[in-house]
Amino acid sequence: MGTKYTKKIILENGKEFYGYSFGADIDAVCELVFNTAVVGYQEIITDPSYMGQAVVLTYPLIGNYGITAEDNETRTPTIAGIIAREYNDLPSNFRYTRTLSETLVENNIVGIEGVDTRALTRMLRDKGTIRCIITSVDTTVEEGVRIIKETPVIRDSVKRVSCKKRWYSRTADFKYNVVAIDCGIKNRLIRILNKMGCNLTIVPYDTTAEEIMALRPDGVVISDGPGNPEDVPELIATIKALLGKLNIMGIGLGNQIICLALGGKTHKLKHGHIGINHPVRNLVTGKIEITSQNHSYGIDAESLKDLPVEVLYTSILDNTVEGLATKDGKALCVQFNAEGAPGPEDSGYIFDKFKEMMEKGGR
């Protein structure tokens, strides 16, 4: 790093953080969040759930093992930016195929290093999620704040990351036919379901209930994804029509969609649950599970009281609902990323429960 700053972050509250540019040399208006993972920056930048967000990485050294193409969670990253304390452009990893900066340049994603990520993270923790612009050092605070205010909040994030047409991921000796609704599906989820013996039909988020029923699946999985769940009313309507008819599992955004389809409510969290060390209490076993999470909206517990559901998990940190099942045994959903990437695998048994639902319930 030199002594002359080349990039800065202007927050909507007027505060500035200076650093040095890497990746694509562009300006980006985005929502600012932080992630506490020690490793896994590749999975983070290729996770569609970060669509339109700039992520402050709290681990101080980023880029040291490069990027390995086969480890990507999606083909085209949609993250808005990466903010690091120190970036290493000389990876030490025999598997790496390109550097992090090269990957950001290829996908037109901005990066900024040399930032006081500790101060920025503390501010986000205390004040909550905030919008910002990552821009040239020549941009004034007044101009930056004006651009942020004039840039609309993204309301079609699921549409932007979902597939445009149906596609398939098949496995040898399959046992189940499963429809996966793509709200920003990760490759790891596809691999887990294939390994379970599921032939997958991956469909766009706006696929109708009639189209899904016509595929005669043994089960339906609603993937995680970005944004406000209320921004996809067509998917909520689809799941409402399928509840009780098919075995359904929801992860992340899929959890929120199922709750809304049941008649529950969601709300924006102060700074979301983002990172790989979020503790969750299993209300059935009493055990604490360490989970990976990435969401900015939570379930309103009060709205579930008169619904035919059983809450299975709650957050240790803020007591929010982290998962539930319908009393008819046909739907199961969790707010955390049971498929990890990056993250712990404490809750991988959720997929076994989905398998049991398909075995017991049939079509």
mmCIF file of all heavy atoms in Angstrom, residues 268-285:
data_model
loop_
_atom_site.group_PDB
_atom_site.id
_atom_site.type_symbol
_atom_site.label_atom_id
_atom_site.label_comp_id
_atom_site.label_asym_id
_atom_site.label_seq_id
_atom_site.Cartn_x
_atom_site.Cartn_y
_atom_site.Cartn_z
ATOM 1 N N LYS A 268 -37.794 -6.039 9.267
ATOM 2 C CA LYS A 268 -36.379 -5.767 9.036
ATOM 3 C C LYS A 268 -35.633 -5.787 10.368
ATOM 4 O O LYS A 268 -36.060 -5.180 11.343
ATOM 5 C CB LYS A 268 -36.217 -4.389 8.364
ATOM 6 C CG LYS A 268 -34.767 -4.016 8.003
ATOM 7 C CD LYS A 268 -34.319 -4.721 6.748
ATOM 8 C CE LYS A 268 -32.875 -4.353 6.389
ATOM 9 N NZ LYS A 268 -32.768 -3.028 5.761
ATOM 10 N N LEU A 269 -34.512 -6.513 10.389
ATOM 11 C CA LEU A 269 -33.682 -6.572 11.580
ATOM 12 C C LEU A 269 -32.735 -5.379 11.625
ATOM 13 O O LEU A 269 -32.452 -4.763 10.591
ATOM 14 C CB LEU A 269 -32.863 -7.869 11.596
ATOM 15 C CG LEU A 269 -33.673 -9.172 11.649
ATOM 16 C CD1 LEU A 269 -32.754 -10.371 11.462
ATOM 17 C CD2 LEU A 269 -34.433 -9.280 12.966
ATOM 18 N N LYS A 270 -32.220 -5.067 12.806
ATOM 19 C CA LYS A 270 -31.343 -3.906 12.963
ATOM 20 C C LYS A 270 -30.107 -4.002 12.078
ATOM 21 O O LYS A 270 -29.788 -3.090 11.326
ATOM 22 C CB LYS A 270 -30.927 -3.768 14.429
ATOM 23 C CG LYS A 270 -30.028 -2.561 14.707
ATOM 24 C CD LYS A 270 -29.671 -2.477 16.179
ATOM 25 C CE LYS A 270 -28.738 -1.314 16.456
ATOM 26 N NZ LYS A 270 -28.363 -1.239 17.890
ATOM 27 N N HIS A 271 -29.387 -5.118 12.179
ATOM 28 C CA HIS A 271 -28.224 -5.309 11.312
ATOM 29 C C HIS A 271 -28.153 -6.726 10.764
ATOM 30 O O HIS A 271 -27.123 -7.169 10.282
ATOM 31 C CB HIS A 271 -26.915 -4.959 12.022
ATOM 32 C CG HIS A 271 -26.775 -5.544 13.395
ATOM 33 N ND1 HIS A 271 -26.757 -6.896 13.632
ATOM 34 C CD2 HIS A 271 -26.663 -4.944 14.604
ATOM 35 C CE1 HIS A 271 -26.619 -7.116 14.929
ATOM 36 N NE2 HIS A 271 -26.562 -5.948 15.546
ATOM 37 N N GLY A 272 -29.239 -7.447 10.828
ATOM 38 C CA GLY A 272 -29.292 -8.777 10.241
ATOM 39 C C GLY A 272 -28.447 -9.794 10.988
ATOM 40 O O GLY A 272 -27.762 -9.492 11.965
ATOM 41 N N HIS A 273 -28.524 -11.018 10.519
ATOM 42 C CA HIS A 273 -27.694 -12.111 11.035
ATOM 43 C C HIS A 273 -26.787 -12.536 9.889
ATOM 44 O O HIS A 273 -27.227 -13.206 8.953
ATOM 45 C CB HIS A 273 -28.550 -13.295 11.475
ATOM 46 C CG HIS A 273 -29.476 -12.980 12.606
ATOM 47 N ND1 HIS A 273 -30.555 -13.773 12.936
ATOM 48 C CD2 HIS A 273 -29.480 -11.955 13.502
ATOM 49 C CE1 HIS A 273 -31.181 -13.259 13.987
ATOM 50 N NE2 HIS A 273 -30.550 -12.141 14.329
ATOM 51 N N ILE A 274 -25.527 -12.136 9.958
ATOM 52 C CA ILE A 274 -24.606 -12.436 8.866
ATOM 53 C C ILE A 274 -23.298 -12.941 9.458
ATOM 54 O O ILE A 274 -22.671 -12.261 10.264
ATOM 55 C CB ILE A 274 -24.360 -11.194 7.987
ATOM 56 C CG1 ILE A 274 -25.691 -10.716 7.384
ATOM 57 C CG2 ILE A 274 -23.362 -11.508 6.871
ATOM 58 C CD1 ILE A 274 -25.592 -9.440 6.587
ATOM 59 N N GLY A 275 -22.889 -14.135 9.068
ATOM 60 C CA GLY A 275 -21.653 -14.705 9.594
ATOM 61 C C GLY A 275 -21.788 -16.199 9.803
ATOM 62 O O GLY A 275 -22.842 -16.795 9.542
ATOM 63 N N ILE A 276 -20.707 -16.823 10.288
ATOM 64 C CA ILE A 276 -20.702 -18.283 10.403
ATOM 65 C C ILE A 276 -20.676 -18.761 11.850
ATOM 66 O O ILE A 276 -20.383 -19.913 12.103
ATOM 67 C CB ILE A 276 -19.499 -18.878 9.642
ATOM 68 C CG1 ILE A 276 -18.172 -18.407 10.277
ATOM 69 C CG2 ILE A 276 -19.557 -18.537 8.176
ATOM 70 C CD1 ILE A 276 -16.964 -19.131 9.735
ATOM 71 N N ASN A 277 -20.983 -17.890 12.789
ATOM 72 C CA ASN A 277 -20.903 -18.305 14.196
ATOM 73 C C ASN A 277 -22.138 -17.879 14.976
ATOM 74 O O ASN A 277 -22.044 -17.479 16.130
ATOM 75 C CB ASN A 277 -19.638 -17.732 14.842
ATOM 76 C CG ASN A 277 -19.548 -16.212 14.676
ATOM 77 O OD1 ASN A 277 -20.430 -15.594 14.101
ATOM 78 N ND2 ASN A 277 -18.484 -15.614 15.181
ATOM 79 N N HIS A 278 -23.291 -17.985 14.360
ATOM 80 C CA HIS A 278 -24.531 -17.550 15.014
ATOM 81 C C HIS A 278 -25.125 -18.724 15.804
ATOM 82 O O HIS A 278 -25.508 -19.738 15.228
ATOM 83 C CB HIS A 278 -25.530 -17.059 13.973
ATOM 84 C CG HIS A 278 -26.657 -16.275 14.572
ATOM 85 N ND1 HIS A 278 -26.758 -14.906 14.496
ATOM 86 C CD2 HIS A 278 -27.734 -16.677 15.291
ATOM 87 C CE1 HIS A 278 -27.837 -14.498 15.133
ATOM 88 N NE2 HIS A 278 -28.454 -15.558 15.619
ATOM 89 N N PRO A 279 -25.246 -18.601 17.140
ATOM 90 C CA PRO A 279 -25.779 -19.703 17.961
ATOM 91 C C PRO A 279 -27.305 -19.767 17.922
ATOM 92 O O PRO A 279 -27.987 -18.758 18.061
ATOM 93 C CB PRO A 279 -25.281 -19.361 19.363
ATOM 94 C CG PRO A 279 -25.152 -17.870 19.370
ATOM 95 C CD PRO A 279 -24.785 -17.467 17.963
ATOM 96 N N VAL A 280 -27.811 -20.971 17.743
ATOM 97 C CA VAL A 280 -29.256 -21.205 17.655
ATOM 98 C C VAL A 280 -29.636 -22.314 18.629
ATOM 99 O O VAL A 280 -28.932 -23.323 18.741
ATOM 100 C CB VAL A 280 -29.640 -21.600 16.213
ATOM 101 C CG1 VAL A 280 -31.044 -22.189 16.158
ATOM 102 C CG2 VAL A 280 -29.532 -20.399 15.280
ATOM 103 N N ARG A 281 -30.739 -22.126 19.359
ATOM 104 C CA ARG A 281 -31.202 -23.163 20.290
ATOM 105 C C ARG A 281 -32.206 -24.079 19.597
ATOM 106 O O ARG A 281 -33.207 -23.617 19.035
ATOM 107 C CB ARG A 281 -31.861 -22.534 21.512
ATOM 108 C CG ARG A 281 -32.223 -23.577 22.590
ATOM 109 C CD ARG A 281 -32.973 -22.958 23.756
ATOM 110 N NE ARG A 281 -32.202 -21.895 24.376
ATOM 111 C CZ ARG A 281 -31.228 -22.093 25.269
ATOM 112 N NH1 ARG A 281 -30.909 -23.326 25.619
ATOM 113 N NH2 ARG A 281 -30.578 -21.070 25.798
ATOM 114 N N ASN A 282 -31.919 -25.367 19.639
ATOM 115 C CA ASN A 282 -32.850 -26.377 19.159
ATOM 116 C C ASN A 282 -33.854 -26.629 20.279
ATOM 117 O O ASN A 282 -33.496 -27.165 21.331
ATOM 118 C CB ASN A 282 -32.081 -27.654 18.796
ATOM 119 C CG ASN A 282 -32.977 -28.727 18.186
ATOM 120 O OD1 ASN A 282 -34.110 -28.907 18.583
ATOM 121 N ND2 ASN A 282 -32.433 -29.449 17.221
ATOM 122 N N LEU A 283 -35.096 -26.230 20.099
ATOM 123 C CA LEU A 283 -36.098 -26.323 21.162
ATOM 124 C C LEU A 283 -36.552 -27.751 21.413
ATOM 125 O O LEU A 283 -37.174 -28.027 22.448
ATOM 126 C CB LEU A 283 -37.304 -25.442 20.815
ATOM 127 C CG LEU A 283 -37.022 -23.943 20.661
ATOM 128 C CD1 LEU A 283 -38.314 -23.194 20.358
ATOM 129 C CD2 LEU A 283 -36.356 -23.376 21.909
ATOM 130 N N VAL A 284 -36.248 -28.664 20.507
ATOM 131 C CA VAL A 284 -36.616 -30.069 20.685
ATOM 132 C C VAL A 284 -35.587 -30.785 21.552
ATOM 133 O O VAL A 284 -35.932 -31.499 22.499
ATOM 134 C CB VAL A 284 -36.753 -30.779 19.320
ATOM 135 C CG1 VAL A 284 -37.055 -32.261 19.522
ATOM 136 C CG2 VAL A 284 -37.844 -30.123 18.482
ATOM 137 N N THR A 285 -34.303 -30.560 21.266
ATOM 138 C CA THR A 285 -33.235 -31.245 22.006
ATOM 139 C C THR A 285 -32.654 -30.404 23.132
ATOM 140 O O THR A 285 -32.012 -30.933 24.035
ATOM 141 C CB THR A 285 -32.090 -31.617 21.053
ATOM 142 O OG1 THR A 285 -31.481 -30.412 20.553
ATOM 143 C CG2 THR A 285 -32.601 -32.453 19.888
#
